[in-house]
Amino acid sequence: MSAWTASIAFATAARSDGQTDMDELTAELTDLYNEHYSQLLRMAVLLVDDRSAAEDIVQDAFVRVFDSRARLRDRDRALAFLRRSVLNKSRSLLRRRQVSRKYQHRLVQRESGPDESAHGVDRTVLAEAIARLPPRQREAIVLRYYADFSEAYTAKIMKVTPGAVKAYCSRGVTRLSSLLRERV
């Protein structure tokens, strides 16, 4: 049993009386899958030149048809819909690849630039300074500025009010500044 057939069986299983009931349209879509999967896969492989990406494209196309089977007016057009869907998904993948290739050189140039970490505080020095903070200030600083949580969410995690989070952060930043002898 293929993944598609298994997902169809799972999705259509369990009526209220507990019996498996594959409706007629689902059975037709299963037959369509069994008959045309390899043809659509070959088409997608030729378009995108990557078997695993092609398998994903074809599988997504079948899932789209299956999900919209209630709206499918003309069952004979399901294969045409599948072909168009495979074609469109392949085009989308090729466009994403093209954009990626176009801007890849810019990313490589940025990464190869000079290391700017020397302009900031050494991570080990900062970690040691944070470790010297009182526990509640340390929690607030880490949750707000390292984990980038909102004040409300930090307050919820710490089980305090948002005002308390603001106070802990303010005191913690002041203490860090004095520990690091620079403004953080």
Side-chain angles (χ1 to χ4, degrees), residues 129 132-134 136-138 140-141 145 158 163-179 184:
R132 292 176 56 191
L133 292 175
R136 298 300 263 178
Q137 288 177 10
R138 182 175 47 233
I141 293 288
Y145 301 116
M158 292 178 66
V165 170
K166 290 178 187 178
Y168 287 135
C169 287
S170 176
R171 291 183 195 127
V173 168
T174 302
R175 176 91 169 123
L176 277 176
S177 293
S178 67
L179 289 170
V184 176

mmCIF file of all heavy atoms in Angstrom, residues 129 132-134 136-138 140-141 145 158 163-179 184:
data_model
loop_
_atom_site.group_PDB
_atom_site.id
_atom_site.type_symbol
_atom_site.label_atom_id
_atom_site.label_comp_id
_atom_site.label_asym_id
_atom_site.label_seq_id
_atom_site.Cartn_x
_atom_site.Cartn_y
_atom_site.Cartn_z
ATOM 1 N N ALA A 129 29.605 37.926 32.986
ATOM 2 C CA ALA A 129 28.910 39.051 33.608
ATOM 3 C C ALA A 129 27.448 38.701 33.867
ATOM 4 O O ALA A 129 26.906 39.016 34.935
ATOM 5 C CB ALA A 129 29.024 40.292 32.730
ATOM 6 N N ARG A 132 26.917 36.631 36.884
ATOM 7 C CA ARG A 132 27.084 37.331 38.163
ATOM 8 C C ARG A 132 25.845 38.131 38.564
ATOM 9 O O ARG A 132 25.792 38.672 39.671
ATOM 10 C CB ARG A 132 28.299 38.250 38.083
ATOM 11 C CG ARG A 132 29.603 37.439 37.978
ATOM 12 C CD ARG A 132 30.820 38.289 37.801
ATOM 13 N NE ARG A 132 30.977 39.276 38.871
ATOM 14 C CZ ARG A 132 31.847 40.281 38.823
ATOM 15 N NH1 ARG A 132 32.628 40.411 37.772
ATOM 16 N NH2 ARG A 132 31.933 41.144 39.819
ATOM 17 N N LEU A 133 24.853 38.211 37.681
ATOM 18 C CA LEU A 133 23.608 38.914 38.006
ATOM 19 C C LEU A 133 22.779 38.095 38.983
ATOM 20 O O LEU A 133 22.852 36.860 38.998
ATOM 21 C CB LEU A 133 22.782 39.152 36.738
ATOM 22 C CG LEU A 133 23.314 40.129 35.705
ATOM 23 C CD1 LEU A 133 22.414 40.129 34.474
ATOM 24 C CD2 LEU A 133 23.428 41.525 36.277
ATOM 25 N N PRO A 134 21.934 38.764 39.777
ATOM 26 C CA PRO A 134 20.988 38.018 40.616
ATOM 27 C C PRO A 134 20.075 37.168 39.722
ATOM 28 O O PRO A 134 19.802 37.529 38.572
ATOM 29 C CB PRO A 134 20.199 39.111 41.323
ATOM 30 C CG PRO A 134 21.075 40.323 41.281
ATOM 31 C CD PRO A 134 21.879 40.205 40.024
ATOM 32 N N ARG A 136 16.827 36.545 39.263
ATOM 33 C CA ARG A 136 15.659 37.099 38.590
ATOM 34 C C ARG A 136 16.070 38.083 37.492
ATOM 35 O O ARG A 136 15.473 38.108 36.414
ATOM 36 C CB ARG A 136 14.724 37.792 39.583
ATOM 37 C CG ARG A 136 14.149 36.849 40.635
ATOM 38 C CD ARG A 136 13.348 35.745 40.021
ATOM 39 N NE ARG A 136 11.941 36.079 40.050
ATOM 40 C CZ ARG A 136 10.984 35.346 39.555
ATOM 41 N NH1 ARG A 136 11.259 34.201 38.970
ATOM 42 N NH2 ARG A 136 9.732 35.717 39.617
ATOM 43 N N GLN A 137 17.105 38.885 37.739
ATOM 44 C CA GLN A 137 17.590 39.792 36.706
ATOM 45 C C GLN A 137 18.175 38.996 35.537
ATOM 46 O O GLN A 137 17.952 39.326 34.380
ATOM 47 C CB GLN A 137 18.653 40.734 37.279
ATOM 48 C CG GLN A 137 18.100 41.780 38.216
ATOM 49 C CD GLN A 137 19.194 42.652 38.815
ATOM 50 O OE1 GLN A 137 20.344 42.607 38.394
ATOM 51 N NE2 GLN A 137 18.816 43.452 39.813
ATOM 52 N N ARG A 138 18.902 37.951 35.858
ATOM 53 C CA ARG A 138 19.495 37.100 34.815
ATOM 54 C C ARG A 138 18.393 36.485 33.964
ATOM 55 O O ARG A 138 18.466 36.490 32.737
ATOM 56 C CB ARG A 138 20.367 36.021 35.466
ATOM 57 C CG ARG A 138 21.056 35.131 34.458
ATOM 58 C CD ARG A 138 22.018 34.147 35.100
ATOM 59 N NE ARG A 138 21.446 33.465 36.239
ATOM 60 C CZ ARG A 138 22.009 33.415 37.454
ATOM 61 N NH1 ARG A 138 23.157 33.987 37.675
ATOM 62 N NH2 ARG A 138 21.409 32.779 38.435
ATOM 63 N N ALA A 140 15.304 37.562 33.483
ATOM 64 C CA ALA A 140 14.639 38.602 32.688
ATOM 65 C C ALA A 140 15.508 39.028 31.503
ATOM 66 O O ALA A 140 15.013 39.150 30.378
ATOM 67 C CB ALA A 140 14.311 39.806 33.578
ATOM 68 N N ILE A 141 16.793 39.237 31.735
ATOM 69 C CA ILE A 141 17.706 39.654 30.658
ATOM 70 C C ILE A 141 17.773 38.580 29.574
ATOM 71 O O ILE A 141 17.668 38.873 28.377
ATOM 72 C CB ILE A 141 19.123 39.934 31.216
ATOM 73 C CG1 ILE A 141 19.120 41.148 32.138
ATOM 74 C CG2 ILE A 141 20.149 40.075 30.106
ATOM 75 C CD1 ILE A 141 18.958 42.462 31.440
ATOM 76 N N TYR A 145 16.168 39.612 26.037
ATOM 77 C CA TYR A 145 17.136 40.062 25.034
ATOM 78 C C TYR A 145 17.811 38.923 24.283
ATOM 79 O O TYR A 145 18.194 39.097 23.131
ATOM 80 C CB TYR A 145 18.187 40.963 25.681
ATOM 81 C CG TYR A 145 17.561 42.169 26.332
ATOM 82 C CD1 TYR A 145 17.638 42.368 27.704
ATOM 83 C CD2 TYR A 145 16.854 43.101 25.577
ATOM 84 C CE1 TYR A 145 17.034 43.465 28.300
ATOM 85 C CE2 TYR A 145 16.253 44.192 26.163
ATOM 86 C CZ TYR A 145 16.344 44.370 27.529
ATOM 87 O OH TYR A 145 15.744 45.448 28.114
ATOM 88 N N MET A 158 8.029 33.890 33.905
ATOM 89 C CA MET A 158 8.635 34.131 35.212
ATOM 90 C C MET A 158 7.593 34.177 36.328
ATOM 91 O O MET A 158 7.948 34.220 37.508
ATOM 92 C CB MET A 158 9.422 35.445 35.186
ATOM 93 C CG MET A 158 10.658 35.406 34.315
ATOM 94 S SD MET A 158 11.537 36.995 34.264
ATOM 95 C CE MET A 158 12.084 37.142 35.967
ATOM 96 N N GLY A 163 5.433 44.783 34.670
ATOM 97 C CA GLY A 163 6.191 45.854 35.313
ATOM 98 C C GLY A 163 7.415 45.314 36.040
ATOM 99 O O GLY A 163 8.478 45.953 36.047
ATOM 100 N N ALA A 164 7.265 44.157 36.648
ATOM 101 C CA ALA A 164 8.406 43.535 37.328
ATOM 102 C C ALA A 164 9.480 43.138 36.317
ATOM 103 O O ALA A 164 10.682 43.282 36.590
ATOM 104 C CB ALA A 164 7.945 42.323 38.131
ATOM 105 N N VAL A 165 9.055 42.662 35.153
ATOM 106 C CA VAL A 165 10.017 42.307 34.097
ATOM 107 C C VAL A 165 10.791 43.547 33.681
ATOM 108 O O VAL A 165 12.021 43.505 33.529
ATOM 109 C CB VAL A 165 9.304 41.663 32.878
ATOM 110 C CG1 VAL A 165 10.256 41.526 31.709
ATOM 111 C CG2 VAL A 165 8.724 40.317 33.253
ATOM 112 N N LYS A 166 10.087 44.675 33.494
ATOM 113 C CA LYS A 166 10.756 45.923 33.127
ATOM 114 C C LYS A 166 11.782 46.318 34.191
ATOM 115 O O LYS A 166 12.902 46.734 33.865
ATOM 116 C CB LYS A 166 9.737 47.046 32.953
ATOM 117 C CG LYS A 166 8.849 46.908 31.751
ATOM 118 C CD LYS A 166 7.851 48.057 31.708
ATOM 119 C CE LYS A 166 6.829 47.855 30.610
ATOM 120 N NZ LYS A 166 5.840 48.941 30.591
ATOM 121 N N ALA A 167 11.392 46.196 35.447
ATOM 122 C CA ALA A 167 12.303 46.564 36.538
ATOM 123 C C ALA A 167 13.512 45.645 36.574
ATOM 124 O O ALA A 167 14.656 46.114 36.725
ATOM 125 C CB ALA A 167 11.558 46.526 37.868
ATOM 126 N N TYR A 168 13.291 44.329 36.455
ATOM 127 C CA TYR A 168 14.413 43.384 36.450
ATOM 128 C C TYR A 168 15.357 43.671 35.283
ATOM 129 O O TYR A 168 16.582 43.638 35.435
ATOM 130 C CB TYR A 168 13.922 41.940 36.359
ATOM 131 C CG TYR A 168 13.284 41.402 37.613
ATOM 132 C CD1 TYR A 168 12.096 40.686 37.564
ATOM 133 C CD2 TYR A 168 13.873 41.584 38.854
ATOM 134 C CE1 TYR A 168 11.510 40.174 38.698
ATOM 135 C CE2 TYR A 168 13.288 41.080 40.018
ATOM 136 C CZ TYR A 168 12.112 40.382 39.930
ATOM 137 O OH TYR A 168 11.535 39.868 41.065
ATOM 138 N N CYS A 169 14.789 43.946 34.109
ATOM 139 C CA CYS A 169 15.628 44.228 32.937
ATOM 140 C C CYS A 169 16.420 45.519 33.125
ATOM 141 O O CYS A 169 17.617 45.574 32.817
ATOM 142 C CB CYS A 169 14.773 44.309 31.672
ATOM 143 S SG CYS A 169 14.173 42.715 31.100
ATOM 144 N N SER A 170 15.769 46.547 33.631
ATOM 145 C CA SER A 170 16.445 47.829 33.842
ATOM 146 C C SER A 170 17.594 47.670 34.831
ATOM 147 O O SER A 170 18.717 48.126 34.568
ATOM 148 C CB SER A 170 15.440 48.861 34.356
ATOM 149 O OG SER A 170 16.089 50.068 34.660
ATOM 150 N N ARG A 171 17.325 47.037 35.951
ATOM 151 C CA ARG A 171 18.381 46.824 36.947
ATOM 152 C C ARG A 171 19.477 45.909 36.402
ATOM 153 O O ARG A 171 20.656 46.127 36.677
ATOM 154 C CB ARG A 171 17.782 46.233 38.224
ATOM 155 C CG ARG A 171 16.900 47.195 38.966
ATOM 156 C CD ARG A 171 16.379 46.602 40.259
ATOM 157 N NE ARG A 171 15.274 47.395 40.747
ATOM 158 C CZ ARG A 171 14.086 46.910 41.069
ATOM 159 N NH1 ARG A 171 13.846 45.618 40.977
ATOM 160 N NH2 ARG A 171 13.123 47.710 41.490
ATOM 161 N N GLY A 172 19.073 44.898 35.637
ATOM 162 C CA GLY A 172 20.050 43.972 35.084
ATOM 163 C C GLY A 172 20.973 44.639 34.077
ATOM 164 O O GLY A 172 22.194 44.408 34.096
ATOM 165 N N VAL A 173 20.426 45.487 33.219
ATOM 166 C CA VAL A 173 21.241 46.190 32.227
ATOM 167 C C VAL A 173 22.190 47.161 32.935
ATOM 168 O O VAL A 173 23.373 47.271 32.568
ATOM 169 C CB VAL A 173 20.344 46.914 31.192
ATOM 170 C CG1 VAL A 173 21.150 47.883 30.345
ATOM 171 C CG2 VAL A 173 19.640 45.900 30.314
ATOM 172 N N THR A 174 21.684 47.844 33.949
ATOM 173 C CA THR A 174 22.546 48.764 34.706
ATOM 174 C C THR A 174 23.685 48.006 35.363
ATOM 175 O O THR A 174 24.851 48.418 35.303
ATOM 176 C CB THR A 174 21.719 49.506 35.770
ATOM 177 O OG1 THR A 174 20.657 50.210 35.121
ATOM 178 C CG2 THR A 174 22.580 50.481 36.554
ATOM 179 N N ARG A 175 23.371 46.886 35.953
ATOM 180 C CA ARG A 175 24.402 46.061 36.618
ATOM 181 C C ARG A 175 25.389 45.517 35.583
ATOM 182 O O ARG A 175 26.598 45.519 35.827
ATOM 183 C CB ARG A 175 23.729 44.919 37.382
ATOM 184 C CG ARG A 175 24.651 43.958 38.032
ATOM 185 C CD ARG A 175 24.959 44.368 39.448
ATOM 186 N NE ARG A 175 25.646 43.255 40.086
ATOM 187 C CZ ARG A 175 26.843 43.378 40.630
ATOM 188 N NH1 ARG A 175 27.441 44.536 40.646
ATOM 189 N NH2 ARG A 175 27.411 42.342 41.184
ATOM 190 N N LEU A 176 24.899 45.057 34.432
ATOM 191 C CA LEU A 176 25.795 44.575 33.381
ATOM 192 C C LEU A 176 26.720 45.689 32.897
ATOM 193 O O LEU A 176 27.908 45.460 32.651
ATOM 194 C CB LEU A 176 24.988 44.026 32.186
ATOM 195 C CG LEU A 176 24.493 42.598 32.277
ATOM 196 C CD1 LEU A 176 23.627 42.268 31.062
ATOM 197 C CD2 LEU A 176 25.642 41.626 32.364
ATOM 198 N N SER A 177 26.168 46.884 32.765
ATOM 199 C CA SER A 177 26.984 48.018 32.319
ATOM 200 C C SER A 177 28.132 48.260 33.284
ATOM 201 O O SER A 177 29.271 48.494 32.862
ATOM 202 C CB SER A 177 26.138 49.267 32.202
ATOM 203 O OG SER A 177 25.209 49.135 31.173
ATOM 204 N N SER A 178 27.817 48.213 34.555
ATOM 205 C CA SER A 178 28.902 48.439 35.521
ATOM 206 C C SER A 178 29.874 47.282 35.545
ATOM 207 O O SER A 178 31.074 47.488 35.707
ATOM 208 C CB SER A 178 28.333 48.705 36.931
ATOM 209 O OG SER A 178 27.719 47.517 37.416
ATOM 210 N N LEU A 179 29.370 46.051 35.341
ATOM 211 C CA LEU A 179 30.267 44.900 35.312
ATOM 212 C C LEU A 179 31.156 44.916 34.077
ATOM 213 O O LEU A 179 32.315 44.527 34.119
ATOM 214 C CB LEU A 179 29.469 43.589 35.358
ATOM 215 C CG LEU A 179 28.793 43.240 36.677
ATOM 216 C CD1 LEU A 179 27.855 42.048 36.508
ATOM 217 C CD2 LEU A 179 29.828 42.970 37.761
ATOM 218 N N VAL A 184 25.616 48.698 27.728
ATOM 219 C CA VAL A 184 25.108 47.538 26.997
ATOM 220 C C VAL A 184 23.786 47.897 26.362
ATOM 221 O O VAL A 184 22.977 48.541 26.916
ATOM 222 C CB VAL A 184 24.917 46.323 27.939
ATOM 223 C CG1 VAL A 184 24.303 45.172 27.200
ATOM 224 C CG2 VAL A 184 26.233 45.937 28.518
#
